[in-house]
Amino acid sequence: MRVAFAGTPEFAAVALQALLQAGFEVPLVLTQPDRPAGRGMKLQASPVKQLAQQHGIALSQPLSLRLDGKYPDEAAGAREALLAAQPDLMVVAAYGLILPQWVLDLPRLGCLNIHASLLPRWRGAAPIHRAIEAGDAETGITIMQMDAGLDTGDMLLIERLPIAGDDTTATLHDKLAALGGRLIVEALELAACGGFHPEQQPEAGVCYAHKIEKSESEIDWTLPAAAIERRLRAFDPFPGGLSQLESEPLKIWKARLAEGRGRPGEVLAADAAGLLVACGEGALRLTELQRAGGKRLSAAVFLQSRPVTVGTVLKSGAHSPN
């Protein structure tokens, strides 16, 4: 089976690696154009592009796939590359571009998507983050036959995964990426022998995982401690939690639920165990912090260079540390 692949970040690279290890022929990879990254803002190839180059796979990096859009020449170039590759099927994982109908129709067996949620819950861009933020007990991978809608296609395979109480988006991402790689190999093996049993997504339970905005990092200390703690885990590694310590921004990365009462944002204790901060309901012990321009530090190390007085009130609204 000839399998075209479309994906961009590490989540997708894990799936591509699984397909290659399983022996599938991948004649073409589509991935996003190189983007500036890092302090030097140098152009950087996506993890999927880097893997494709290691295996000598042909690449296409169009800015758009819309033949009638803003970049018709790039879309036409991608179309020619896909036609030349003659794929039986395309696998899509966190690609980042909308696939127009001509792409969905081109492979003989259509396009399969690796989606990091239990559809129809958390359709959209940020399913891992939103599942943690909402306090979901489980998530998983859905292999879906793509259609013109946003994550609305028929479900082909589903596998569930519990969300641990200490999972961050980073740790859950890695678990789901590995699961997605294993499940897409299973899906293609079924596709090769016509063993699919498509199931329509139920209408009940639909919700959308909207893209994470940097502005969401600002911590509202009037919220319950449990809600803030979930958001911190959901926003690690991006964008973190942001507050204001006196006149400077303070990035908060890790915290655990604790006992304590006070005004929302009030520091109730500051010692080697961390900053104990009152919330709208309950309290949090902040255990990993970052000053503007600095590194992520344990609270014990942070307090050695930046003492915090009990009674200080952390406030919302600040500019993010670099």
Side-chain angles (χ1 to χ4, degrees):
M1 183 182 291
R2 293 170 64 82
V3 181
F5 187 88
T8 299
E10 184 62 28
F11 181 89
V14 172
L16 177 58
Q17 182 66 48
L19 293 174
L20 295 171
Q21 287 179 341
F24 287 99
E25 183 181 358
V26 182
L28 178 68
V29 162
L30 279 71
T31 191
Q32 288 268 7
D34 297 2
R35 306 289 190 198
R39 290 190 177 274
M41 295 302 285
K42 295 181 179 179
L43 286 179
Q44 185 169 318
S46 73
V48 164
K49 178 178 179 178
Q50 294 175 44
L51 181 59
Q53 289 177 323
Q54 291 170 19
H55 289 269
I57 302 171
L59 280 161
S60 179
Q61 296 180 266
L63 287 164
S64 169
L65 291 169
R66 289 178 57 91
L67 294 169
D68 59 350
K70 189 176 179 181
Y71 305 100
D73 292 344
E74 298 216 2
R79 186 172 185 274
E80 290 305 312
L82 275 168
L83 288 170
Q86 297 182 314
D88 296 298
L89 183 148
M90 178 186 280
V91 170
V92 182
Y95 178 33
L97 289 183
I98 294 173
L99 301 191
Q101 194 65 43
W102 72 261
V103 180
L104 299 176
D105 294 340
L106 191 148
R108 177 173 61 89
L109 297 174
C111 300
L112 302 190
N113 178 243
I114 308 171
H115 188 75
S117 83
L118 301 173
L119 291 171
R121 185 165 177 80
W122 301 128
R123 295 173 177 173
I128 301 175
H129 307 73
R130 300 304 183 191
I132 294 175
E133 183 186 16
D136 290 3
E138 63 177 1
T139 183
I141 291 289
T142 304
I143 304 297
M144 176 191 69
Q145 185 83 50
M146 297 182 71
D147 61 15
L150 176 62
D151 300 329
T152 56
D154 288 350
M155 302 180 293
L156 305 175
L157 287 176
I158 299 176
E159 189 159 328
R160 298 173 181 275
L161 181 75
I163 299 177
D166 60 352
D167 264 330
T168 64
T169 286
T171 61
L172 191 56
H173 165 281
D174 292 351
K175 295 176 189 179
L176 288 167
L179 178 57
R182 178 169 62 78
L183 218 57
I184 193 60
V185 169
E186 183 180 334
L188 294 197
E189 289 170 347
L190 284 171
C193 63
F196 275 140
H197 299 286
E199 179 184 347
Q200 283 191 343
Q201 293 186 35
E203 294 182 7
V206 174
C207 64
Y208 288 89
H210 298 287
K211 180 181 177 182
I212 302 297
E213 301 292 344
K214 197 171 182 180
S215 60
E216 294 182 73
S217 66
E218 294 188 4
I219 296 174
D220 179 357
W221 293 105
T222 65
L223 293 174
I228 298 173
E229 188 271 343
R230 290 196 305 266
R231 287 173 70 95
L232 291 175
R233 289 190 289 113
F235 295 169
D236 183 358
F238 174 86
L242 184 62
S243 192
Q244 189 168 351
L245 174 58
E246 295 172 338
S247 61
E248 65 174 307
L250 175 68
K251 207 74 172 281
I252 300 163
W253 291 105
K254 294 186 185 301
R256 61 177 184 268
L257 299 177
E259 297 290 333
R261 281 186 175 184
R263 292 175 293 163
E266 181 182 359
V267 176
L268 306 176
D271 51 38
L275 287 182
L276 182 62
V277 179
C279 304
E281 180 182 308
L284 285 177
R285 192 173 296 278
L286 313 184
T287 58
E288 188 170 295
L289 308 165
Q290 179 188 355
R291 297 180 75 175
K295 298 179 180 179
R296 292 169 63 154
L297 300 172
S298 69
V301 173
F302 177 91
L303 290 170
Q304 289 175 6
S305 60
R306 178 48 171 100
V308 178
T309 305
V310 171
T312 299
V313 177
L314 303 183
K315 297 179 180 178
S316 301
H319 295 292
S320 173
N322 296 328

